[in-house]
Amino acid sequence: MTPRPPRPPLYPSYEEYRPPAPMDGCEACQEFAARRSAAQAAFDYSAVSDANVRLRAHLLDAHSRT
Ligand SMILES: [Zn+2]
């Protein structure tokens, strides 16, 4: 018997609906958020997705947050 995972896996579409939120007061977070805003303003969705991936990786790495 194998233990069940606590949460279902994340699917690509999840990024669209639940983008990671930057932490207040963290320069790196603000930088990623600014890049994401610029990409959204330019309708560059691959750049938006890229910024979200990088921000989420940074949140995990620097803030132990998902
Ligand atoms: Zn940060």
Side-chain angles (χ1 to χ4, degrees):
M1 214 165 113
T2 51
R4 294 170 68 130
R7 285 188 299 180
L10 301 180
Y11 296 99
S13 62
Y14 185 82
E15 302 290 326
E16 318 266 338
Y17 298 106
R18 295 285 303 274
M23 297 273 281
D24 286 338
C26 173
E27 271 184 41
C29 282
Q30 301 308 315
E31 168 76 28
F32 288 123
R35 250 188 260 177
R36 184 174 63 193
S37 296
Q40 274 168 343
F43 302 102
D44 186 347
Y45 296 114
S46 71
V48 171
S49 172
D50 186 61
N52 279 334
V53 168
R54 286 166 192 273
L55 175 54
R56 182 165 289 132
H58 163 77
L59 285 169
L60 260 177
D61 201 46
H63 307 295
S64 299
R65 239 181 68 166
T66 54

